PDB file of all heavy atoms in Angstrom:
ATOM      1  N   SER A 478      -5.863   9.483  -4.770  1.00 98.00           N
ATOM      2  CA  SER A 478      -6.575   8.514  -3.905  1.00 98.00           C
ATOM      3  C   SER A 478      -7.947   9.069  -3.639  1.00 98.00           C
ATOM      4  O   SER A 478      -8.119  10.164  -3.959  1.00 98.00           O
ATOM      5  CB  SER A 478      -5.850   8.197  -2.408  1.00 98.00           C
ATOM      6  OG  SER A 478      -4.694   7.641  -2.573  1.00 98.00           O
ATOM      7  N   ALA A 479      -8.778   8.137  -3.055  1.00 98.00           N
ATOM      8  CA  ALA A 479     -10.130   8.636  -2.531  1.00 98.00           C
ATOM      9  C   ALA A 479      -9.847   9.606  -1.351  1.00 98.00           C
ATOM     10  O   ALA A 479      -8.727   9.551  -0.655  1.00 98.00           O
ATOM     11  CB  ALA A 479     -10.897   7.574  -2.125  1.00 98.00           C
ATOM     12  N   THR A 484     -12.522   5.148   1.305  1.00 98.00           N
ATOM     13  CA  THR A 484     -12.490   3.746   0.730  1.00 98.00           C
ATOM     14  C   THR A 484     -13.129   2.873   1.967  1.00 98.00           C
ATOM     15  O   THR A 484     -13.838   1.805   1.645  1.00 98.00           O
ATOM     16  CB  THR A 484     -11.143   3.242   0.368  1.00 98.00           C
ATOM     17  OG1 THR A 484     -10.775   4.272  -0.439  1.00 98.00           O
ATOM     18  CG2 THR A 484     -11.124   1.996  -0.307  1.00 98.00           C
ATOM     19  N   GLU A 568     -12.174   7.045  -5.635  1.00 98.00           N
ATOM     20  CA  GLU A 568     -11.122   7.666  -6.559  1.00 98.00           C
ATOM     21  C   GLU A 568     -11.702   8.367  -7.746  1.00 98.00           C
ATOM     22  O   GLU A 568     -11.289   9.415  -8.120  1.00 98.00           O
ATOM     23  CB  GLU A 568     -10.175   6.551  -7.130  1.00 98.00           C
ATOM     24  CG  GLU A 568      -8.972   6.325  -6.225  1.00 98.00           C
ATOM     25  CD  GLU A 568      -9.274   5.541  -4.893  1.00 98.00           C
ATOM     26  OE1 GLU A 568     -10.335   5.176  -4.726  1.00 98.00           O
ATOM     27  OE2 GLU A 568      -8.431   5.507  -4.036  1.00 98.00           O
ATOM     28  N   PHE A 634      -5.232   3.302  -7.524  1.00 98.00           N
ATOM     29  CA  PHE A 634      -6.058   2.053  -7.060  1.00 98.00           C
ATOM     30  C   PHE A 634      -6.836   1.405  -8.071  1.00 98.00           C
ATOM     31  O   PHE A 634      -7.096   0.226  -8.033  1.00 98.00           O
ATOM     32  CB  PHE A 634      -6.846   2.579  -5.872  1.00 98.00           C
ATOM     33  CG  PHE A 634      -7.664   1.541  -5.105  1.00 98.00           C
ATOM     34  CD1 PHE A 634      -7.056   0.483  -4.574  1.00 98.00           C
ATOM     35  CD2 PHE A 634      -8.999   1.847  -4.833  1.00 98.00           C
ATOM     36  CE1 PHE A 634      -7.899  -0.536  -3.719  1.00 98.00           C
ATOM     37  CE2 PHE A 634      -9.802   1.061  -4.076  1.00 98.00           C
ATOM     38  CZ  PHE A 634      -9.154  -0.141  -3.546  1.00 98.00           C
ATOM     39  N   ARG A 648      -5.471  -2.779  -1.240  1.00 94.00           N
ATOM     40  CA  ARG A 648      -5.590  -1.561  -0.314  1.00 94.00           C
ATOM     41  C   ARG A 648      -4.150  -0.814  -0.434  1.00 94.00           C
ATOM     42  O   ARG A 648      -3.195  -1.510  -0.565  1.00 94.00           O
ATOM     43  CB  ARG A 648      -5.768  -1.982   1.258  1.00 94.00           C
ATOM     44  CG  ARG A 648      -7.143  -2.420   1.576  1.00 94.00           C
ATOM     45  CD  ARG A 648      -8.260  -1.494   1.117  1.00 94.00           C
ATOM     46  NE  ARG A 648      -8.295  -0.032   1.442  1.00 94.00           N
ATOM     47  CZ  ARG A 648      -8.973   0.391   2.500  1.00 94.00           C
ATOM     48  NH1 ARG A 648      -9.672  -0.477   3.268  1.00 94.00           N
ATOM     49  NH2 ARG A 648      -9.034   1.688   2.906  1.00 94.00           N
ATOM     50  N   GLY A 649      -4.407   0.433  -0.419  1.00 95.00           N
ATOM     51  CA  GLY A 649      -3.119   1.370  -0.524  1.00 95.00           C
ATOM     52  C   GLY A 649      -2.500   1.229  -1.924  1.00 95.00           C
ATOM     53  O   GLY A 649      -1.339   1.838  -2.055  1.00 95.00           O
ATOM     54  N   GLY A 650      -3.275   0.833  -2.875  1.00 97.00           N
ATOM     55  CA  GLY A 650      -2.759   0.576  -4.179  1.00 97.00           C
ATOM     56  C   GLY A 650      -2.431   1.756  -5.050  1.00 97.00           C
ATOM     57  O   GLY A 650      -1.928   1.743  -6.132  1.00 97.00           O
ATOM     58  N   SER A 651      -2.709   3.037  -4.595  1.00 98.00           N
ATOM     59  CA  SER A 651      -2.604   4.223  -5.492  1.00 98.00           C
ATOM     60  C   SER A 651      -1.194   4.372  -5.697  1.00 98.00           C
ATOM     61  O   SER A 651      -0.635   5.044  -6.672  1.00 98.00           O
ATOM     62  CB  SER A 651      -3.101   5.420  -4.809  1.00 98.00           C
ATOM     63  OG  SER A 651      -4.566   5.283  -4.721  1.00 98.00           O
TER      64      SER A 651
HETATM   65  N1  LIG B1430      -8.161   4.507  -1.570  1.00 77.37           N
HETATM   66  C1  LIG B1430      -7.487   3.168  -1.509  1.00 77.37           C
HETATM   67  C2  LIG B1430      -7.248   2.696  -0.218  1.00 77.37           C
HETATM   68  O1  LIG B1430      -7.674   3.432   0.810  1.00 77.37           O
HETATM   69  C3  LIG B1430      -6.081   3.268  -2.195  1.00 77.37           C
HETATM   70  C4  LIG B1430      -5.069   4.189  -1.674  1.00 77.37           C
HETATM   71  O2  LIG B1430      -5.407   5.144  -0.914  1.00 77.37           O
HETATM   72  O3  LIG B1430      -3.928   3.946  -2.103  1.00 77.37           O
HETATM   73  O4  LIG B1430      -6.731   1.647  -0.035  1.00 77.37           O
END
Side-chain angles (χ1 to χ4, degrees):
S478 292
T484 309
E568 271 71 11
F634 182 54
R648 287 312 302 262
S651 296

